[in-house]
Amino acid sequence: MISSAPAIEMRNVTRMFGHLRAVNDVSFSVGRGEIVGFIGPNGAGKTTSMRILATLDLPTMGDALIDGFSVINDPDRVRRQLGFMPDNYGTYPHMNCEEYLDFFARAYGLLGSDRISALRRVIDFAHLGPLAQKSIRGLSKGMKQRLCLGRALIHDPQVIVLDEPAAGLDPRARIELREMITLLAEQGKSILISSHILSALAEMCHRVVIIEAGSLVAVGSVEEIMASTRQRQSPDALVEVSVRVNDEPEKLLQWLDENPLVENAQLVVDEIRFKAPANPEVHEQMIKELVAANFRISSFVPKQQSLEDVFVEVTKGIVQ
Amino acid sequence: MTIIESKSESGHDLHLAVEKNSRLDRWIESVSRWLNPILIKESRQSLKSNQFLVTFSLVLAAALFWSFFALAVTPNISESYNSIVLLTGYFWILAFPLMIIVPVWTYWSIVTEQDDNSLELITLSTMKPSQIVSGKFVTALLQIMIYLAVIAPCVCFTYFLRGIDLGHILYGLVFIFLASICLNAVAVFLATCAPNRALQILFLIGLVFICFVSYIYLCVGLSEIDGLIDNLMRAQVNEQNQIQLGLAAGCLAALTYSMVAYFAAVANLTFPANNRSTGIRVALLVQQAIFIGWCWAMAHSLDWSQDGPILMIVMVIVASIHWSIVGSMIVGESGEISQRVRRGLPKTMFAKITASWLMPGPLRGFFFVVSNIWGVGIIAAIFYSVNVGSVPYSMFRPGTADVETGLVMIFLNCGYATIYLGLTSLFAIWLRGRFGFSIPLLTLLWGLAVALFLNFVPIIVLASIGLLNEFELPILGLPSWGLIVAGVGGGRVDWNDMTVLLPFSLMLIAIVVANLVFARRELGLVRVAAPIRVQQEIEEAKKLAEPEPVDIFDDEA
């Protein structure tokens, strides 16, 4: 029976190291089958929060629940439900990949045919087939990441916490990792993932949690956070707009230079870029004026905010 | 082992060596499910390491070299009485890996896994901390067996030589084996106590020192094994028992402290909110029972009228010292009683009174230790008072045999240990109140300081009543003796003169009551119910375990 509790729930978690509040009253939850990105600058408290979720550390105050089980009071039950991939992990250089996974399968109490089918599933999922008999000592960073992901999945956990799984991976390996994570979510697993590669997170995450200096800064889908940052923006905030016209771009450049709302207009190859107020109503008005001035516009594109922009917008660069 | 190659869904060839199809492979697979995963991992990893290969080769080479060397210098060795030297040489060679290499390897293996976070990954699995620690232990045992197998042919060969019998060989092997087990227990315990690099290196140096000293001490002792066997052979049956009990005392002390170290290592790896204390306390209880049993056996083998009462007093003194040290650490436990622990608290009043002392909590720990101290005291007092009538002399002053002196001595010893511990417990309470935590090592240091300070009290008492000339150096180590001397002024207890006892007893009661007052809150904690989610899971597990009901009247069923 699947419980109705959220897959992951942080309840006012605070973790102090001496006088330093590494995590400060953080609360958020991750639903079932959801991928949530956990982002923040270095030292923001991501790893500490994830270690608390993984039952490797205890909160000073508050509690965290995995599938309704408290990480403080029921760590053994949490561990059965959770697959954790830390950012820094050791492997056993004298073993090969299959022996490594076999050891963890045994450590999770998988025996006989269950163990063999778990190994098959994981080796197949993480594309470790060609590496199965290879010594861990000779594996590249990307291969080791796949092996560690396989280890985290060996007991088929319903909740997965991944701390910087894409760090040090080449683009192909990152794409493969993204596909694997999406696939896991499609299987109904709940995933909390931290990464500094925000473009990749934006593509696969249903929601993001932004943390800075131990405190929660924003929680929600990328669009929701973007909307809230737009609302917070002052009416004078500017956005870059790219316009293409079918003929006479110089004439348009001159027109834009004379427009009091436009700043820094310049011709870049075959399009004109300028800064204008971020307000969509201003853009609408501008298009009407351009059409009225007989410019044949083929495109008018205000630059969309990316997750990077949102991140820069909501964080202040505070380092503890 | 057959490697099956098959195409996976992703098109890769899977070479799963774990899939076996021969009967032997299937048998090995079915056996391996009972083995500790750590043992399997270490067999795959450590036994392939250069360290093992080098040590194994060196032991083999040393054994061969020693054999050829001994044969070369003693051509007629089979007839020579010097053959014992050959055997002790093998003991020196065997003891080196067993008492130095294996414990240091065990320590280093845990420390390395802690450093590269792979131990964390293991603790995240469903393996219990006891499985992790015993896995390391069993791996050490496997290495011990391998080294034993290397040297076994050489040792067996010595059996055919003059002057060597099974006793020589077995005693030597058993002592080396036990010493190795104990050193491995120390290694595991130290490794789980070292959270950072500086402490890890410090403990490593300490461990190497302990191992090396033990190695030299044991091997020099084994060089005298001929004398030991000789004494055993020539002794009367009663004396033989006493020698064997003496040897057993060393072995039992080493083994039981290893058991406590094992449970302490398990506690170190246990999640903080879980119950870390009961295992250690049960191990201490078992140790106490073994100790009392040994004293009882020793008392039986001795001439009771001569040595029995002294043995009872010694039992109380040893127990008091042991519990003072162990208790100082127990009262330094964390004062936080987690919800998880509270789920396991006893329900009934009877269970609270009898079993609650084994549950975590520093003040529960205080009363656990105090009950053990007084438990030993009461047993000793009963044995003493029943049998002392036949004692022709006092153990303190010749010609002054009496029941009271012994009983007072027992009372003072237990009282002293309780006072030390009570003061240490009050210090730990203050620490927790002031700083929010207490550390067993800190309370141990405090306990030792308190003991050192209070051991001077009898001297002050002696000086104040003008009996300083009665002072003897052992009084510093055994203050109860000092109080006896001060109280009786000549070695014989006269209850009317025992003015020292009154303030002593009042102080004892005050300290225990003070602890009881502070323990009120801890002892008042009640059992809490498991959270609903946990109850749900237990119900689900029960349902899964129960067979589906079958309707016997349903034809289709």
Side-chain angles (χ1 to χ4, degrees):
Chain A
M1 191 178 83
I2 295 170
S3 96
S4 55
I8 299 174
E9 194 178 0
M10 294 275 275
R11 283 186 189 165
N12 307 101
V13 171
T14 296
R15 177 68 171 103
M16 298 187 70
F17 294 107
H19 292 294
L20 177 79
R21 277 179 184 265
V23 180
N24 183 18
D25 198 24
V26 168
S27 299
F28 66 86
S29 63
V30 177
R32 288 172 193 281
E34 197 179 22
I35 307 176
V36 172
F38 196 32
I39 58 179
N42 288 333
K46 300 187 298 292
T47 297
T48 306
S49 304
M50 287 182 148
R51 284 177 61 81
I52 288 171
L53 286 172
T55 71
L56 291 173
D57 200 357
L58 274 173
T60 314
M61 279 179 275
D63 199 355
L65 308 176
I66 300 287
D67 191 25
F69 295 115
S70 159
V71 297
I72 303 172
N73 294 315
D74 294 292
D76 39 357
R77 289 183 167 87
V78 166
R79 287 168 182 177
R80 285 205 297 264
Q81 312 284 335
L82 183 85
F84 178 56
M85 182 176 168
D87 60 338
N88 184 17
Y89 52 88
T91 47
Y92 302 108
H94 291 287
M95 282 189 185
N96 65 36
C97 295
E98 189 191 320
E99 286 171 343
Y100 180 79
L101 293 171
D102 180 59
F103 164 60
F104 279 101
R106 287 173 191 273
Y108 276 101
L110 298 171
L111 299 171
S113 58
D114 288 346
R115 198 180 85 247
I116 291 169
S117 60
L119 281 173
R120 287 195 147 273
R121 175 175 51 76
V122 161
I123 287 175
D124 188 33
F125 179 80
H127 310 305
L128 291 166
L131 309 175
Q133 301 299 318
K134 209 169 172 178
S135 166
I136 294 174
R137 199 200 306 253
L139 296 187
S140 69
K141 171 83 179 171
M143 290 169 182
K144 276 188 185 166
Q145 293 284 78
R146 267 164 36 202
L147 180 64
C148 195
L149 180 65
R151 182 203 56 74
L153 299 175
I154 195 82
H155 58 301
D156 196 19
Q158 288 308 302
V159 180
I160 299 162
V161 175
L162 308 169
D163 192 4
E164 304 277 0
L169 296 188
D170 63 37
R172 174 175 285 277
R174 273 186 211 163
I175 292 165
E176 281 177 3
L177 183 74
R178 198 175 66 206
E179 284 169 358
M180 285 181 209
I181 291 167
T182 313
L183 204 61
L184 286 171
E186 283 169 12
Q187 290 169 8
K189 299 188 191 303
S190 313
I191 299 162
L192 180 70
I193 175 172
S194 80
S195 177
H196 289 303
I197 303 156
L198 303 186
S199 53
L201 282 188
E203 280 179 40
M204 67 174 144
C205 292
H206 300 112
R207 289 191 303 135
V208 290
V209 174
I210 303 177
I211 184 172
E212 185 177 34
S215 299
L216 211 62
V217 179
V219 184
S221 66
V222 177
E223 292 75 24
E224 283 168 357
I225 297 174
M226 280 176 185
S228 75
T229 55
R230 273 199 295 271
Q231 276 177 0
R232 276 188 289 168
Q233 280 172 346
S234 71
D236 302 333
L238 299 177
V239 67
E240 192 177 271
V241 181
S242 307
V243 179
R244 282 177 192 237
V245 284
N246 288 342
D247 46 27
E248 298 176 345
E250 294 81 11
K251 201 175 159 190
L252 174 62
L253 197 61
Q254 194 185 347
W255 187 89
L256 286 169
D257 278 340
E258 289 164 6
N259 192 324
L261 294 174
V262 172
E263 279 182 23
N264 203 18
Q266 52 186 313
L267 184 64
V268 181
V269 194
D270 57 346
E271 68 178 20
I272 292 167
R273 290 181 194 165
F274 59 90
K275 290 203 166 158
N279 189 346
E281 288 170 11
V282 174
H283 300 161
E284 215 172 289
Q285 183 59 33
M286 203 175 269
I287 292 168
K288 279 181 188 165
E289 287 174 10
L290 285 168
V291 172
N294 288 326
F295 286 109
R296 292 168 62 203
I297 307 163
S298 60
S299 73
F300 184 100
V301 185
K303 192 185 167 198
Q304 288 296 319
Q305 274 188 308
S306 66
L307 188 55
E308 275 100 343
D309 298 323
V310 172
F311 180 71
V312 171
E313 182 76 30
V314 298
T315 58
K316 299 182 183 75
I318 302 168
V319 178
Q320 289 199 96
Chain B
M1 184 185 294
T2 312
I3 294 176
I4 295 179
E5 297 185 12
S6 61
K7 286 274 184 199
S8 74
E9 286 170 24
S10 59
H12 291 299
D13 287 336
L14 292 187
H15 305 264
L16 288 187
V18 291
E19 290 179 303
K20 295 137 186 158
N21 60 359
S22 79
R23 187 176 289 181
L24 178 66
D25 289 338
R26 280 199 299 273
W27 182 78
I28 291 171
E29 167 61 28
S30 65
V31 168
S32 79
R33 69 173 59 195
W34 302 106
L35 294 178
N36 189 309
I38 302 265
L39 175 67
I40 297 171
K41 183 205 80 165
E42 295 292 353
S43 319
R44 283 170 173 166
Q45 198 199 3
S46 304
L47 299 185
K48 288 182 200 167
S49 69
N50 292 337
Q51 168 268 320
F52 180 75
L53 200 68
V54 169
T55 315
F56 185 87
S57 310
L58 282 178
V59 170
L60 199 61
L64 285 174
F65 173 78
W66 176 246
S67 306
F68 289 130
F69 177 78
L71 289 174
V73 297
T74 323
N76 207 10
I77 197 161
S78 60
E79 300 299 318
S80 167
Y81 283 104
N82 286 336
S83 52
I84 193 76
V85 177
L86 181 66
L87 179 65
T88 49
Y90 289 135
F91 286 155
W92 278 82
I93 294 169
L94 176 67
F96 188 79
L98 262 59
M99 293 180 67
I100 297 178
I101 303 290
V102 177
V104 171
W105 172 86
T106 304
Y107 175 86
W108 199 242
S109 133
I110 297 175
V111 161
T112 315
E113 287 194 26
Q114 270 175 341
D115 267 2
D116 69 10
N117 293 340
S118 42
L119 191 67
E120 277 192 349
L121 296 183
I122 299 173
T123 56
L124 275 184
S125 71
T126 49
M127 278 184 84
K128 291 177 185 158
S130 57
Q131 281 179 293
I132 297 172
V133 175
S134 54
K136 291 288 177 189
F137 244 100
V138 176
T139 309
L141 205 64
L142 179 69
Q143 290 198 37
I144 290 171
M145 290 302 166
I146 292 171
Y147 291 124
L148 270 174
V150 173
I151 214 94
C154 303
V155 173
C156 288
F157 160 71
T158 61
Y159 181 67
F160 298 106
L161 304 180
R162 176 182 279 239
I164 294 176
D165 60 24
L166 208 56
H168 290 89
I169 295 172
L170 283 183
Y171 269 111
L173 291 182
V174 166
F175 282 137
I176 294 172
F177 179 76
L178 287 180
S180 181
I181 294 286
C182 297
L183 290 170
N184 273 295
V186 173
V188 171
F189 172 66
L190 287 180
T192 55
C193 287
N196 56 50
R197 188 49 109 178
L199 272 183
Q200 285 168 358
I201 299 293
L202 189 72
F203 287 170
L204 177 65
I205 294 167
L207 178 68
V208 171
F209 178 76
I210 293 169
C211 290
F212 199 73
V213 169
S214 313
Y215 170 68
I216 299 289
Y217 189 76
L218 184 76
C219 288
V220 168
L222 286 178
S223 305
E224 302 298 322
I225 196 161
D226 208 24
L228 174 76
I229 301 283
D230 246 23
N231 282 342
L232 261 177
M233 301 293 278
R234 286 179 196 162
Q236 306 264 329
V237 176
N238 208 29
E239 286 173 338
Q240 272 185 356
N241 284 346
Q242 285 165 23
I243 294 172
Q244 280 168 344
L245 276 169
L247 292 173
C251 295
L252 285 175
L255 278 177
T256 53
Y257 275 108
S258 301
M259 176 177 68
V260 175
Y262 167 87
F263 280 101
V266 171
N268 282 340
L269 291 184
T270 301
F271 193 73
N274 282 358
N275 182 349
R276 291 171 139 185
S277 308
T278 303
I280 299 177
R281 291 186 194 176
V282 170
L284 287 168
L285 267 184
V286 171
Q287 187 185 37
Q288 167 113 315
I290 290 172
F291 174 60
I292 294 171
W294 179 87
C295 289
W296 181 81
M298 196 63 173
H300 265 262
S301 76
L302 290 169
D303 178 2
W304 175 259
S305 61
Q306 288 288 323
D307 307 309
I310 286 193
L311 189 71
M312 288 300 108
I313 303 284
V314 169
M315 182 172 93
V316 174
I317 293 169
V318 170
S320 303
I321 294 169
H322 162 83
W323 282 113
S324 297
I325 295 169
V326 172
S328 296
M329 290 191 275
I330 287 180
V331 297
E333 269 185 18
S334 163
E336 297 254 332
I337 311 293
S338 70
Q339 293 288 314
R340 175 61 178 263
V341 168
R342 288 181 63 185
R343 279 184 223 160
L345 285 178
K347 269 189 210 167
T348 61
M349 183 54 77
F350 178 75
K352 272 183 187 172
I353 292 166
T354 53
S356 168
W357 315 120
L358 296 174
M359 297 300 289
L363 290 159
R364 278 196 172 83
F366 171 73
F367 287 104
F368 164 76
V369 175
V370 167
S371 11
N372 273 291
I373 293 169
W374 289 95
V376 175
I378 290 166
I379 290 170
I382 292 169
F383 271 93
Y384 187 89
S385 31
V386 167
N387 294 288
V388 80
S390 58
V391 180
Y393 65 93
S394 163
M395 64 231 44
F396 309 109
R397 292 287 184 276
T400 56
D402 60 287
V403 179
E404 288 87 349
T405 312
L407 291 182
V408 169
M409 184 80 175
I410 289 170
F411 170 74
L412 287 175
N413 261 299
C414 296
Y416 245 98
T418 308
I419 289 172
Y420 291 158
L421 206 62
L423 290 175
T424 311
S425 173
L426 292 173
F427 169 70
I429 291 167
W430 175 79
L431 270 184
R432 284 191 290 273
R434 179 77 180 78
F435 303 103
F437 67 90
S438 59
I439 305 166
L441 188 64
L442 198 64
T443 50
L444 173 66
L445 291 175
W446 168 269
L448 292 175
V450 165
L452 201 65
F453 176 74
L454 288 187
N455 281 12
F456 279 96
V457 170
I459 301 162
I460 298 165
V461 174
L462 282 175
S464 65
I465 58 175
L467 280 175
L468 200 56
N469 59 333
E470 294 275 341
F471 172 74
E472 291 164 23
L473 203 59
I475 288 176
L476 269 183
L478 199 58
S480 49
W481 188 357
L483 281 187
I484 293 263
V485 173
V488 303
R492 189 184 174 83
V493 167
D494 179 347
W495 290 110
N496 298 325
D497 289 344
M498 283 300 286
T499 44
V500 179
L501 273 185
L502 186 64
F504 180 86
S505 305
L506 287 177
M507 189 178 173
L508 173 66
I509 291 166
I511 287 172
V512 172
V513 169
N515 273 283
L516 201 57
V517 169
F518 285 109
R520 192 173 76 240
R521 230 182 96 217
E522 192 180 301
L523 299 181
L525 287 177
V526 289
R527 187 187 176 100
V528 294
I532 294 167
R533 180 71 187 95
V534 175
Q535 289 177 17
Q536 270 177 358
E537 201 210 40
I538 294 168
E539 285 300 315
E540 283 163 26
K542 269 186 198 165
K543 273 182 201 165
L544 283 175
E546 281 170 11
E548 285 284 318
V550 179
D551 184 354
I552 53 169
F553 299 108
D554 184 357
D555 289 341
E556 286 179 19

